Amino acid sequence: MNTKRTIVFLLAFVLFMTTTTSFAQRNGADKLPPIKYQEFTLPNGLRVIMHVDKSTPIVAVNVWYHVGSKNEVAGRTGFAHLFEHMMFQGSKNYDADYFTPLQEAGANINGSTNVDRTNYFEVLPSNFLELALFMEADRMGGLLEAMTQEKLDNQRDVVKNERRQNYDNQPYGTAYEKIVSLMYPKTHPYSWTTIGSLDDLTAASMDDVKAFFREYYVPNNASLVIAGDFDPKEARKLVEKHFSSIAKGAAIKRPNVPMPKLDKEIRVSYEDSVQLPRLYMTWFGAPRFTQDEAVLDILAAVLSAGRGSRLQSNLVYGKQIAQDAFANNPASEISGLFQIVSTARPNKTLEEIEKEINAEIERIKNEPPTADEIARALNQIESSTIYGLQTILGKADQMNGYATYLNKPDYFGAELEKYRKVTPADVQKAAQTFLTDKRLVMSFVPRPKDKEMPKMNQAANQQASVSKKEKSAIDSSKLPKPAANPKFTLPTIEKTKLSNGLEVWLVKQNELPIVSMNMVFKSGTTADPQGLSGLGGTTASLLDDGTKTRSAVDIANEIQSIGARLSTGSSTDSSGVEMLTLTKNFDKALDIYADVIQNAEFPEEEVKTWRSRALVSLRQRRDNANAISNIVYNRILYGDNHPYGVTSSEASVNALKRDDLKRFYSTYYRPNNAVLIVVGDTDMKTLTPKLEAKFKDWKAGEISPMTLPNAPARDKAAIYVVDKPGAAQSVISIGQIGVARDNPDYFPLQVMNTILGGGFTSRVNMNLREDKGYTYGARTGFAFRRGAGPFSASAGVQTAVTKESVMEFLKEIRGIRGEIPVTQAELEYNKQSLIRRFPASFETVDQIAGQLANSVVYNLPDNYFAEFISRVNAVTLEDVNRVANKYLTPDKLAIVVVGDRKTIEPGLKAIEGLGSSIVYLDAEGNPIQ
């Protein structure tokens, strides 16, 4: 449940939203595929919208309540977000955790809250549609009958942990709440954040909470979208069956406050535990769905969307005074804010950055954007719109948003037209009108190391209850039974080979006019030479920073001009170049794509720029407790002589030269070390000659086999502490070296891990989050690689219960080995969860390409996907017990804790058998005294 998750409209890519009338007239606007739907309204006011899409046998159920944090009042903030959590805690006819039956059905289930609305969704196999509708109806109509003080107290603890994780323990994490409190009057409903005041939540009574629910969680303040593979007639019957008896609520009173204004500039500065200062410049913008919003979106795109944008080309890559710079326009229902944010490079000042930003603002006030700037942005937004139609959840959420705010579920095309009306003169005028000297200029600067951290407020810092929630038998007798299993047909894979030996795999998908290309190279960061850690990753990241005929800016601008997406990257075992494009632009996209793959030049200036930015990133890494934990954990497990244990350092970054990049590239980026995966709206007859023409001169090379060294063996368990003074949370990572991807126990391990910590209803999450309230989320997982990757159990936990959290993790790891035996019912539940969510992993072209990429990298058999379900089904209770005991060894675990040593040390020292020999490390994993 993510309070930061914004409303997902087709046009949510606000940095790219821009167009001009002249460009649209000259080139012709893309027509969206029709989004057909039916709708009806129940007598109680519930609006129901249905959209059929039978491309995958899954269905999305998406409910919006038109209530967000703006419906709260001062002194009673955070209620909307708290109810997002409470809505998963049980209701009248199913008084238990909502994830339990839905995850068994293979559902993706969650919710989110923002200032204007709260939503809940399930994406699950289509034969479980009635289950999702039953659950949504029961919590809409019967939540209060199952609400208890115990549940409320527990979820308040979870919310506090969410705040610590997403705000207090993040670098610059409290910036947004400071911005809204400064920009808006205290009485304005946007002057507080969605997570609210923890003091308000702590002080709230059950009567307060119930009153809020009765006012806003009513059918006449909600809309329901069903999208996917279903029969609309049958769906209507189910909706009427489960929702019709819910009583209609009173008419909703909406906040109606005037758009605020600043009468002067506000300048403030705050200290934070960060390495680099950051500048936030904020103006009042325009409300959502106004024409001014569209113009300001375009202005944001011109300023910062892409390598060739004005702020990027000036501050980041030109004068190189900023590590980053971006503009955005987060509009909401009754107001909007326009922001420019930039982080200073070392030895550069925020005053220098502000001066350059002001110059760029004045420039656009004096001269409108060019036709090319507008054209690139237009193609980006139009293609992004089509890409967004691939998932039923995306469409359902967008239709719900349009229905809630505009009463127009099919507003997709009209939204595009709003941007097509914008002219360069409009953008210039918007800069003149909105970006005035009436603004907020806020700085976050590094806190002096010798300065004590500010104390957290009492509500945020109080210890979570250590008592376990009382569990009662779950009554699932009223849950509807699923219909017959739908038929799922795996996509057909066609294979061919070009004259140079490049293998090509094709999956035809004709639902939308898009094509995905993924060139998968079978070498990754494990091929880095000793002393040059990061070489493989850097090679991949710089591929698109210049070829023999195109500069980095040329590539970025050409990609934007056709609305395509190009990404390069690497992992331990592979590297890849991915391209997503509209079918109509395939030839142009392929030309750029083939050029980047075959003709990367790694220009010296780009390498220098990369090096300076990389060194700054390494410095910023020290701000992030999760990044520190990951670095230290891997180094402890693998040491300094294994590629899984080393990461980029200042020494390796400085040692890396252009010749090293060229050598790595010429060695591993060869057709005989790659497979090109193409998924989308094309066929092999059309595709093959185009690929042959573009790749015929790309020559094969000799690829040296890679042999991984043996990882060091652990002989005992130990605790390792990295001190992060004043940390709002402790980040815990516990585990050991796991197994390789080709291990014959892969499927039993997947099932065992799903039980232990692989999902919301897993043992560790239900224990540490739902029962204890120690964390916002706890998890376990195996990193399956060519070599034995790490197994880890991890969570960000409240500082005050660090010791207790470590002990609960250890208890669960011992438990899965037999101290808390896995039951047959638990086994079957988790096997069905894995099996039933399998079809949803083939919904988009990129998902299909990703599945096939794993097949390439790990040499999976041709029948792997066809046998996936049967292999999971074949896992027995004996298999789970065997692999748990074979691969999890509690007496040899590494326990890494990144947190405030002064606070957590006494508790950790009290852990029997472990606390007497704690090892203290710095943020890079080096021992300290």
Side-chain angles (χ1 to χ4, degrees):
M1 301 161 201
N2 184 357
T3 59
K4 290 187 175 180
R5 179 178 176 270
T6 56
I7 307 170
V8 184
F9 291 101
L10 282 178
L11 304 178
F13 306 93
V14 294
L15 296 182
F16 302 110
M17 292 182 177
T18 177
T19 181
T20 63
T21 303
S22 60
F23 183 88
Q25 291 172 341
R26 186 169 65 251
N27 291 276
D30 283 335
K31 290 185 178 180
L32 291 177
I35 311 298
K36 298 179 180 179
Y37 71 97
Q38 303 174 36
E39 71 169 304
F40 62 95
T41 302
L42 295 180
N44 60 13
L46 178 67
R47 185 176 191 173
V48 183
I49 301 161
M50 300 184 293
H51 167 69
V52 176
D53 178 346
K54 293 184 176 293
S55 57
T56 308
I58 56 177
V59 64
V61 172
N62 185 286
V63 179
W64 273 43
Y65 293 90
H66 196 175
V67 56
S69 58
K70 81 166 183 293
N71 299 94
E72 301 157 355
V73 295
R76 290 292 183 267
T77 65
F79 280 26
H81 175 239
L82 179 63
F83 264 109
E84 180 206 319
H85 285 254
M86 293 302 298
M87 290 279 275
F88 291 90
Q89 298 304 303
S91 49
K92 177 181 178 181
N93 293 303
Y94 184 76
D95 190 8
D97 192 286
Y98 262 46
F99 282 83
T100 300
L102 288 161
Q103 283 201 174
E104 184 179 19
N108 170 21
I109 170 177
N110 214 327
S112 66
T113 310
N114 68 22
V115 294
D116 298 321
R117 66 92 183 101
T118 308
N119 85 325
Y120 305 88
F121 63 83
E122 302 83 27
V123 180
L124 69 176
S126 54
N127 58 320
F128 283 92
L129 172 60
E130 186 175 7
L131 173 64
L133 293 173
F134 169 87
M135 301 293 278
E136 289 293 355
D138 201 53
R139 60 182 171 186
M140 180 185 290
L143 182 80
L144 296 186
E145 295 179 59
M147 184 181 291
T148 65
Q149 187 68 47
E150 180 187 31
K151 291 179 181 179
L152 183 60
D153 292 343
N154 174 267
Q155 289 307 301
R156 277 195 282 221
D157 279 339
V158 172
V159 169
K160 290 175 184 179
N161 286 316
E162 181 176 358
R163 181 193 168 88
R164 294 183 191 101
Q165 179 171 309
N166 293 338
Y167 293 78
D168 300 324
N169 214 39
Q170 294 295 322
Y172 316 101
T174 60
Y176 180 71
E177 69 178 357
K178 287 180 169 58
I179 288 171
V180 296
S181 69
L182 291 165
M183 291 292 291
Y184 291 102
K186 290 184 178 181
T187 55
H188 194 284
Y190 285 169
S191 67
W192 52 82
T193 58
T194 301
I195 205 163
S197 162
L198 301 186
D199 288 327
D200 286 356
L201 291 174
T202 300
S205 68
M206 281 282 286
D207 289 342
D208 292 332
V209 173
K210 288 182 176 181
F212 190 84
F213 181 85
R214 291 190 184 102
E215 182 173 2
Y216 293 108
Y217 280 77
V218 290
N220 50 300
N221 194 42
S223 57
L224 164 66
V225 174
I226 305 170
D229 181 21
F230 67 98
D231 178 353
K233 291 182 179 179
E234 180 61 25
R236 178 164 185 158
K237 292 178 183 178
L238 294 175
V239 170
E240 291 171 343
K241 172 183 175 182
H242 293 294
F243 287 90
S244 291
S245 62
I246 303 172
K248 184 176 184 177
I252 306 297
K253 296 179 181 178
R254 308 284 177 202
N256 184 21
V257 295
M259 183 77 177
K261 295 181 179 180
L262 293 179
D263 57 8
K264 62 180 179 180
E265 182 180 79
I266 301 172
R267 284 189 173 267
V268 291
S269 181
Y270 297 97
E271 293 177 348
D272 197 9
S273 297
V274 295
Q275 298 292 318
L276 301 174
R278 178 173 290 178
L279 178 70
Y280 297 83
M281 302 174 71
T282 307
W283 298 260
F284 280 116
R288 186 78 172 102
F289 297 114
T290 61
Q291 189 61 31
D292 279 337
E293 181 211 12
V295 181
L296 289 170
D297 285 341
I298 294 170
L299 174 58
V302 170
L303 286 173
S304 72
R307 176 74 182 262
S309 65
R310 299 189 178 193
L311 294 179
Q312 294 281 334
S313 60
N314 181 358
L315 279 72
V316 178
Y317 293 99
K319 295 183 174 65
Q320 298 190 19
I321 61 175
Q323 181 72 357
D324 53 55
F326 61 89
N328 67 345
N329 180 44
S332 299
E333 189 173 12
I334 60 174
S335 180
L337 297 175
F338 189 94
Q339 296 179 311
I340 299 177
V341 182
S342 184
T343 308
R345 296 282 302 276
N347 303 315
K348 302 298 180 182
T349 68
L350 297 186
E351 288 75 19
E352 291 176 88
I353 288 177
E354 183 181 348
K355 179 181 177 181
E356 292 300 326
I357 291 174
N358 287 336
E360 290 297 344
I361 291 172
E362 289 305 310
R363 177 183 164 203
I364 208 165
K365 286 180 178 180
N366 294 325
E367 183 179 346
T370 68
D372 283 344
E373 287 175 306
I374 299 300
R376 292 198 303 268
L378 170 62
N379 279 304
Q380 282 290 316
I381 185 55
E382 291 188 336
S383 60
S384 294
T385 301
I386 296 175
Y387 301 152
L389 299 176
Q390 294 183 80
T391 69
I392 56 172
L393 177 59
K395 287 187 286 186
D397 209 50
Q398 291 149 7
M399 295 177 80
N400 232 337
Y402 289 141
T404 297
Y405 298 129
L406 299 170
N407 197 29
K408 298 175 181 178
D410 59 346
Y411 192 68
F412 303 101
E415 179 83 335
L416 279 176
E417 286 302 319
K418 185 176 70 170
Y419 290 90
R420 292 190 179 115
K421 293 178 181 177
V422 178
T423 67
D426 293 332
V427 178
Q428 181 183 28
K429 183 179 179 181
Q432 296 166 345
T433 303
F434 289 94
L435 304 192
T436 69
D437 59 353
K438 309 300 190 293
R439 62 187 182 180
L440 168 65
V441 181
M442 184 179 79
S443 302
F444 264 46
V445 298
R447 180 180 293 110
K449 293 182 179 181
D450 58 350
K451 188 170 183 179
E452 187 174 336
M453 285 281 292
K455 301 293 184 183
M456 296 178 66
N457 67 53
Q458 185 176 356
N461 203 38
Q462 70 181 47
Q463 180 168 333
S465 170
V466 297
S467 61
K468 196 177 183 73
K469 287 199 317 187
E470 290 294 327
K471 288 186 177 181
S472 56
I474 297 176
D475 179 8
S476 58
S477 61
K478 295 180 181 180
L479 295 179
K481 305 301 180 185
N485 288 330
K487 182 181 179 181
F488 173 58
T489 303
L490 284 164
T492 300
I493 306 170
E494 301 177 59
K495 297 183 179 182
T496 190
K497 186 176 287 188
L498 301 185
S499 60
N500 64 357
L502 176 64
E503 291 185 63
V504 178
W505 296 8
L506 171 67
V507 173
K508 290 191 290 186
Q509 291 283 317
N510 304 120
E511 286 85 4
L512 291 169
I514 58 179
V515 180
S516 168
M517 294 180 283
N518 186 0
M519 185 75 77
V520 181
F521 295 93
K522 302 175 187 179
S523 303
T525 58
T526 53
D528 291 351
Q530 188 77 18
L532 289 178
S533 58
L535 175 58
T538 305
T539 302
S541 68
L542 292 179
L543 282 178
D544 58 350
D545 278 6
T547 68
K548 295 175 181 177
T549 58
R550 291 178 169 99
S551 69
V553 173
D554 291 336
I555 294 169
N557 287 347
E558 287 183 44
I559 291 295
Q560 284 188 318
S561 72
I562 59 173
R565 297 177 183 172
L566 175 68
S567 61
T568 63
S570 66
S571 65
T572 55
D573 297 324
S574 66
S575 303
V577 184
E578 301 177 43
M579 175 79 85
L580 182 64
T581 182
L582 299 179
T583 306
K584 70 172 187 176
N585 295 326
F586 179 79
D587 290 349
K588 177 63 174 176
L590 178 59
D591 183 66
I592 304 168
Y593 185 70
D595 187 31
V596 166
I597 290 171
Q598 297 174 92
N599 301 310
E601 277 292 291
F602 310 99
E604 187 63 49
E605 283 304 309
E606 295 293 341
V607 175
K608 289 180 180 178
T609 299
W610 162 82
R611 182 179 296 109
S612 63
R613 289 173 54 78
L615 290 171
V616 176
S617 295
L618 291 177
R619 184 169 169 177
Q620 289 181 291
R621 195 169 67 182
R622 302 170 198 161
D623 296 336
N624 191 308
N626 290 292
I628 294 169
S629 178
N630 184 59
I631 293 164
V632 172
Y633 182 69
N634 287 323
R635 190 174 180 189
I636 288 169
L637 291 188
Y638 293 99
D640 294 334
N641 296 314
H642 192 289
Y644 294 175
V646 296
T647 186
S648 294
S649 64
E650 290 187 12
S652 66
V653 169
N654 282 318
L656 197 152
K657 302 295 188 289
R658 178 174 183 262
D659 288 346
D660 300 314
L661 297 166
K662 295 283 286 183
R663 189 179 305 111
F664 190 97
Y665 170 71
S666 64
T667 300
Y668 296 109
Y669 284 71
R670 296 289 185 176
N672 54 317
N673 193 40
V675 174
L676 175 60
I677 299 167
V678 182
V679 183
D681 183 27
T682 187
D683 58 72
M684 195 65 87
K685 182 179 179 181
T686 303
L687 178 67
T688 302
K690 293 182 178 182
L691 296 178
E692 188 68 53
K694 291 298 180 183
F695 289 106
K696 65 180 185 299
D697 296 327
W698 190 24
K699 304 301 182 184
E702 182 178 349
I703 310 296
S704 301
M706 290 174 290
T707 303
L708 285 169
N710 293 325
R714 292 186 60 80
D715 58 1
K716 64 178 182 179
I719 296 176
Y720 304 83
V721 171
V722 179
D723 187 19
K724 200 168 192 301
Q729 279 190 318
S730 296
V731 175
I732 298 172
S733 295
I734 301 174
Q736 62 190 91
I737 294 174
V739 302
R741 177 61 181 84
D742 62 1
N743 190 292
D745 285 326
Y746 173 80
F747 283 98
L749 283 167
Q750 286 282 50
V751 174
M752 184 272 289
N753 184 69
T754 302
I755 297 168
L756 178 60
F760 190 91
T761 57
S762 65
R763 289 183 172 194
V764 299
N765 193 64
M766 296 303 287
N767 180 349
L768 274 79
R769 171 180 161 137
E770 293 299 287
D771 288 353
K772 302 293 192 308
Y774 290 169
T775 180
Y776 183 49
R779 65 206 63 83
T780 65
F782 287 86
F784 294 103
R785 301 170 180 169
R786 286 202 187 103
F791 163 80
S792 63
S794 60
V797 304
Q798 183 182 348
T799 300
V801 290
T802 302
K803 166 200 164 185
E804 290 80 3
S805 299
V806 170
M807 294 179 69
E808 291 301 321
F809 266 125
L810 296 177
K811 184 187 80 172
E812 295 296 352
I813 292 172
R814 293 193 305 268
I816 198 80
R817 287 166 46 90
E819 290 185 13
I820 308 173
V822 176
T823 66
Q824 189 66 39
E826 196 176 11
L827 173 67
E828 292 303 320
Y829 172 95
N830 285 279
K831 283 166 47 174
Q832 289 305 309
S833 179
L834 284 169
I835 289 167
R836 289 167 176 161
R837 66 180 185 236
F838 182 61
S841 63
F842 292 86
E843 189 178 11
T844 71
V845 294
D846 284 339
Q847 283 179 312
I848 296 170
Q851 292 279 16
L852 297 185
N854 281 329
S855 186
V856 169
V857 174
Y858 299 111
N859 197 30
L860 302 180
D862 289 343
N863 62 356
Y864 171 79
F865 297 113
E867 293 189 352
F868 178 90
I869 291 175
S870 63
R871 295 290 298 275
V872 173
N873 250 331
V875 175
T876 65
L877 206 55
E878 291 74 20
D879 290 330
V880 170
N881 291 329
R882 175 178 56 80
V883 297
N885 281 275
K886 182 177 181 180
Y887 299 109
L888 301 180
T889 52
D891 61 339
K892 297 180 181 179
L893 296 173
I895 302 165
V896 175
V897 183
V898 181
D900 186 345
R901 174 179 173 177
K902 183 178 179 181
T903 304
I904 66 179
E905 186 176 52
L908 294 176
K909 282 186 173 181
I911 298 177
E912 185 177 354
L914 292 169
S916 61
S917 57
I918 296 175
V919 180
Y920 298 97
L921 306 171
D922 65 17
E924 304 297 326
N926 299 305
I928 59 175
Q929 298 300 320

